[in-house]
Every structure is written in structure tokens, then in C-alpha cells.
Amino acid sequence: MSRLLGKVALVTGAGSIGPGWGNGKAMSTLFAREGAQVFAVDINAAAAEETRSIIDDECGTCATFAADVSKSDDVERAVNACLAAFGRIDILVNNVGVVRLGGVVELSEEDWDRANAINLKSVFLTCKHVIPHMLARKSGSVINISSIAAIRYTGIDYASYYATKGAMLSLTRGVALRYAGSGLRANCILPGLMDTPLVYADVARAYDSQEDQAVIKAKRDAMCPTGHMGDAWDVAYAALYLASDEAKYVTGTELVVDGGITAKFT
Ligand SMILES: NC(=O)c1ccc[n+]([C@@H]2O[C@H](COP(=O)([O-])OP(=O)(O)OC[C@H]3O[C@@H](n4cnc5c(N)ncnc54)[C@H](O)[C@@H]3O)[C@@H](O)[C@H]2O)c1
């Protein structure tokens, strides 16, 4: 239980949008179990607090910070608060992501801009403010939570999600290569169809808002080669590997965690 001992992890979207385990909540909890001090950032202070109380109950270390990661000032304040609390940042997880349904015709310009600000600009902002501190210590792991929507059409009409999740891959490669000789690593995780609270909130409308959770779950399970969706822990264990020194030669890559769904019809 010490794969991240002595490390500090800043996780964005560290709460979850509803009851159960979101990816950010699971990553934060798993990182703390493995010895990291976790700085849990979320726009919803209560959601971040819930994550902190889980970690507290397990005798881990977690501090929270309320911030909108699409806003430069908020990100700068969060990074400074993390440094004040824990003195360093070894791991940066960009987990915040929202779904705005609609193709290019239906989507409002406002929703396009908001999705870009939350899903993509936030990654630029956190990297901008965190990487100088990583460079000073010649060490750091940046983990960006993208999606298989970056590399496949998932059947859902969400143009801004495809665009932002795809751009995350290129941005991550750019960061990885720019700093490969400076002790920094940057990688993406591409989750497939995961059973997290997000699915029953933002994504649910794509299936049919009349349908209950059991029907949505059954539909998504049936799309997966394994017969069921993955969960937040599948993402968390992939992130744990990329965060740890076990991945010291892994940078600029994309780790697909999807139960084989993208391999199905390639
Ligand atoms: N669930 C899936 O099937 C799936 C699949 C592929 C990728 N993903 C990605 O995984 C990531 C996390 O998903 P999740 O299911 O854990 O989501 P979630 O919605 O449960 O949790 C995300 C957290 O981010 C917070 N948040 C939202 N906007 C914010 C902002 N502007 N600033 C700070 N915090 C903000 C929310 O309050 C919430 O607590 C997302 O990037 C999502 O795109 C999910």
C-alpha cells in the first residue's frame, strides 16, 4: 500500500456528480490508500468534502479546494493552496469533463464554448500553473482523463465531447514531448463505457430521458464485449500505474481502459 508514498496528487473533479463512485473520487481514494497526499479540487465543495471524508475515514490525507478549473484565477489559487498545504505537486490529474449533447447543428455556441472551457482549456490552465513547479523538481506525472470518444464515434451525438476529448490527446503528446528530457511525464487515459454517476446525469438524455437507470445500464452493458460496463476503479488503477514510478518510462501515450470495445470493430 505504498506505491505513491511521499507523493502529492492534485486531482480535479475529485468529487462525483451524483451518488456512487465517479472516476475522480475513486482515483483520489486509491491514491490516498497508496500513500499519496491528495489535494481534491472540485467546483462543488460538498462533492470534494465527501471524497475527503472517505479518505479521512481510511486514515489517509486529503485537503479540498473549491474551484472552477475553466477559470485561470481559480486554477492559480488552487495550485498555490496545494503548494501551501503540501509543499509540492508530483501528480496532476485532469479529470473534469462534461457532456453537452448535440451535433454541430443543434449545439449552441454557448454550449460549445463551455464544453471547450471545462474539458480542454482547464487542462491548459492546470498544466500552465503546475508544470513550472514540477520542472523545478525535475519530476512529475500529468494524467489527463480523455475518452474513447477521442478515437471512435460512440453512437452519441456530442460534437463538443468528441472535439475536446480528441484535442486532449494532441495536447498531452505536446506536453509529454516538450518535457520528456526534464523528468516530466504526461499521458492520457481513455475510458470506455463506465458505470459512473455521470452516465445517469449528463449522458442519460442521449438514450432517452424517459428510461430509468436500469434500462440505460442494460443498454450500455450490452454494447460492451465483456457484457458489462467498467467502473471508476478500472480508471483509478490505470491512473495509479501512470502516477507511480513503475511507469517511469511511459510518456506521451494513451491507455485505453474499455473492456475491448474499441478493438471490436476496428
Ligand atoms: N463515465 C464514463 O463512461 C466516462 C467515459 C469516458 C470518459 N469519462 C471521463 O471521466 C471523467 C470523470 O467522469 P466522472 O464519471 O467521474 O464524472 P463526474 O461528473 O461524476 O465527476 C466529475 C466532477 O467534476 C466536477 N466538475 C464539473 N465541472 C467542474 C469545473 N468546471 N471545475 C471543477 N470541477 C468540476 C463535478 O462537480 C464532479 O464532482 C470526465 O472527464 C469524463 O469525460 C467518463
Side-chain angles (χ1 to χ4, degrees):
M1 305 293 273
S2 58
R3 291 166 73 186
L4 302 182
L5 197 62
K7 293 187 189 292
V8 173
L10 189 157
V11 180
T12 74
S16 65
I17 204 168
W21 290 94
N23 297 329
K25 191 195 281 186
M27 285 187 282
S28 299
T29 303
L30 185 60
F31 285 11
R33 283 177 189 166
E34 291 291 341
Q37 295 173 295
V38 175
F39 196 78
V41 178
D42 204 290
I43 197 168
N44 180 346
E49 275 305 312
E50 194 193 329
T51 300
R52 189 183 62 79
S53 86
I54 292 166
I55 292 173
D56 272 4
D57 287 349
E58 297 184 358
C59 300
T61 304
C62 179
T64 62
F65 195 87
D68 178 346
V69 292
S70 69
K71 297 202 160 63
S72 187
D73 287 355
D74 277 25
V75 172
E76 193 171 6
R77 286 191 302 109
V79 170
N80 288 337
C82 181
L83 292 168
F86 297 134
R88 54 197 277 174
I89 301 173
D90 303 282
I91 302 155
L92 167 63
V93 181
N94 284 303
N95 171 66
V96 167
V98 293
V99 172
R100 293 283 182 271
L101 294 178
V104 289
V105 174
E106 302 81 16
L107 195 69
S108 70
E109 197 175 332
E110 187 186 19
D111 273 351
W112 170 266
D113 287 343
R114 193 69 189 128
N116 271 272
I118 296 173
N119 295 3
L120 185 59
K121 185 182 173 190
S122 64
V123 180
F124 157 68
L125 291 174
T126 58
C127 286
K128 183 178 186 60
H129 292 292
V130 169
I131 284 177
H133 301 286
M134 290 179 164
L135 286 174
R137 304 186 63 257
K138 294 185 169 45
S139 169
S141 173
V142 178
I143 301 165
N144 295 329
I145 308 302
S146 175
S147 165
I148 58 166
I151 55 170
R152 292 290 187 280
Y153 181 70
T154 64
I156 300 175
D157 205 13
Y158 43 23
S160 60
Y161 197 70
Y162 293 119
T164 54
K165 293 297 185 181
M168 280 176 89
L169 307 189
S170 310
L171 177 58
T172 307
R173 272 185 230 121
V175 169
L177 274 291
R178 170 69 175 79
Y179 300 114
S182 307
L184 260 72
R185 298 182 293 107
N187 295 286
C188 275
I189 294 175
L190 281 62
L193 301 184
M194 316 308 280
D195 194 354
T196 71
L198 176 76
V199 169
Y200 306 106
D202 291 0
V203 186
R205 287 184 296 277
Y207 295 94
D208 183 343
S209 56
Q210 304 305 310
E211 290 177 347
D212 65 19
Q213 288 199 3
V215 177
I216 293 166
K217 179 173 166 15
K219 276 191 175 175
R220 283 173 65 94
D221 282 346
M223 291 166 72
C224 300
T226 55
H228 59 81
M229 289 184 276
D231 61 33
W233 298 101
D234 296 314
V235 175
Y237 277 102
L240 172 61
Y241 167 66
L242 292 174
S244 76
D245 294 337
E246 296 154 24
K248 65 183 168 49
Y249 202 59
V250 179
T251 194
T253 195
E254 289 121 34
L255 180 47
V256 175
V257 180
D258 74 345
I261 199 164
T262 55
K264 200 170 161 190
F265 296 115
T266 47

